[in-house]
Amino acid sequence: MDTLARLHESGRYDRIVVVAHSLGTVVAYDMLRAYFSRICDELPPVTLLGQEFLDVDGAPWQPEKVATHEEKVELRRKARQLIANIADVTVRRPVEQRDFKSWLVTDFVTLGSALSHAYFLMCEEAKDPDAAEKNGHERLRADFRRRVEEREFPTCPPKRLQQDGLLAFDNPRKKIRQIHHGALFGLTRWTNIYFPIEQIFWGDAIGGPLAPTFGRHIVDLPVSTRLAGGADFFTHTAYWNVDRKPDTWKAPHLAALRDAINLSDKTPTIDFVSRGEDAPGEAG
């Protein structure tokens, strides 16, 4: 979090990409949500963030509702513009004119993410009057839902609560509309890359789709180490491996990683929408 703070406060960057692997994706998710909660009420006033903010804030999208291709593209395009709008009124201004905190994380890229087992890693069995009538997995799911509704666990897209928007709420104390701490993945795009598992040791038993759990605007991208497709032996640590034969650095998993990081800041992150797959049901 201190590193993330220094990157935001340095004034040297107008875009940050966070890439994480395996259990590191859980750590990165915690880091992002904790830092965003710390600074969200010091971000620029929503009146300075353009029409894109109003469009996303008022959108009907919800994490559990299957999103269309057009909806995913719209959020990705407008989220990227929102970060640019934030940068325009913060880090792109002279130091003496920076009156607000900035949020510059345009993309969160997860590789072989242990968040696919979030219910078991991050939740406790819900303690409620009906808990005895539910199995352990259902109680874990109930705890996850509670944490989402309390905005402890941000989703993509954000979970709408009561009369709030996807990104903002009316603060009765300050008498202004401001960004709430659950808005993280209405601003930051989430791409999840994984090797589908076949049997136990072929593919990646740790990674998997995240959209069924963390929100249907996550782009889940299954990959292979081979241009011809198919599973390879134990690929959990192969996401950045350029030496695997026969395709080495040209392999699909490396092309996906380069596109997800998207240093040129062009269209690959948008193009992912048509390349991703919609996993049925719930993960975990």
Side-chain angles (χ1 to χ4, degrees):
M1 285 181 63
D2 289 341
T3 299
L4 198 59
R6 285 196 296 272
L7 291 172
H8 278 87
E9 294 167 2
S10 70
R12 297 178 59 192
Y13 308 99
D14 59 10
R15 179 182 180 224
I16 297 169
V17 179
V18 175
V19 185
H21 170 252
S22 192
L23 192 61
T25 64
V26 183
V27 177
Y29 178 82
D30 282 344
M31 172 190 71
L32 291 173
R33 67 191 178 102
Y35 185 73
F36 189 81
S37 294
R38 178 191 292 182
I39 58 93
C40 64
D41 60 351
E42 299 179 71
L43 292 174
V46 301
T47 53
L48 298 180
L49 300 183
Q51 184 62 42
E52 292 83 7
F53 186 91
L54 298 176
D55 292 343
V56 175
D57 191 42
W61 311 318
Q62 282 298 271
E64 64 277 0
K65 182 180 178 182
V66 175
T68 66
H69 176 277
E70 291 74 18
E71 289 171 335
K72 291 180 181 180
V73 167
E74 184 180 0
L75 177 57
R76 290 203 154 212
R77 288 191 186 281
K78 290 183 176 178
R80 179 64 189 96
Q81 187 57 51
L82 278 171
I83 297 292
N85 293 348
I86 291 173
D88 283 342
V89 295
T90 55
V91 294
R92 289 177 181 156
R93 289 187 174 183
V95 173
E96 62 275 9
Q97 296 180 20
R98 295 176 194 168
D99 299 323
F100 314 106
K101 296 284 188 180
S102 61
W103 179 254
L104 305 174
V105 182
T106 59
D107 293 275
F108 181 36
V109 182
T110 48
L111 311 171
S113 178
L115 288 168
S116 62
H117 308 283
Y119 297 149
F120 301 101
L121 290 174
M122 302 170 66
C123 299
E124 299 177 354
E125 292 191 8
K127 299 175 177 62
D128 61 61
D130 300 322
E133 300 177 7
K134 301 175 181 177
N135 63 39
H137 190 251
E138 289 174 338
R139 294 198 294 270
L140 291 172
R141 288 171 57 186
D143 185 58
F144 186 90
R145 288 194 298 270
R146 175 186 64 81
R147 294 179 184 221
V148 169
E149 291 172 356
E150 293 178 358
R151 291 186 176 140
E152 179 184 352
F153 289 169
T155 58
C156 180
K159 178 68 176 175
R160 185 186 300 278
L161 301 179
Q162 299 172 352
Q163 302 302 312
D164 295 347
L166 291 191
L167 303 178
F169 74 108
D170 292 317
N171 188 323
R173 181 171 57 86
K174 297 182 178 180
K175 300 187 184 306
I176 60 171
R177 190 163 181 80
Q178 68 182 57
I179 296 174
H180 58 64
H181 63 273
L184 167 57
F185 294 112
L187 301 172
T188 298
R189 304 176 294 198
W190 189 342
T191 302
N192 176 54
I193 300 173
Y194 68 98
F195 292 105
I197 186 172
E198 294 183 12
Q199 301 179 23
I200 297 177
F201 298 110
W202 293 84
D204 183 3
I206 295 176
L210 299 183
T213 302
F214 284 94
R216 293 291 183 170
H217 275 74
I218 296 172
V219 174
D220 284 322
L221 195 66
V223 294
S224 172
T225 60
R226 304 170 180 174
L227 287 168
D232 205 349
F233 181 75
F234 189 70
T235 52
H236 182 61
T237 56
Y239 290 92
W240 54 89
N241 189 334
V242 299
D243 297 321
R244 288 219 175 195
K245 297 180 179 179
D247 301 308
T248 61
W249 61 273
K250 297 179 182 179
H253 67 293
L254 296 172
L257 179 56
R258 286 192 294 268
D259 286 347
I261 295 172
N262 191 16
L263 290 179
S264 64
D265 202 16
K266 301 292 185 182
T267 61
T269 307
I270 304 299
D271 296 341
F272 268 148
V273 172
S274 60
R275 293 161 58 185
E277 292 187 356
D278 292 321
E282 287 190 290

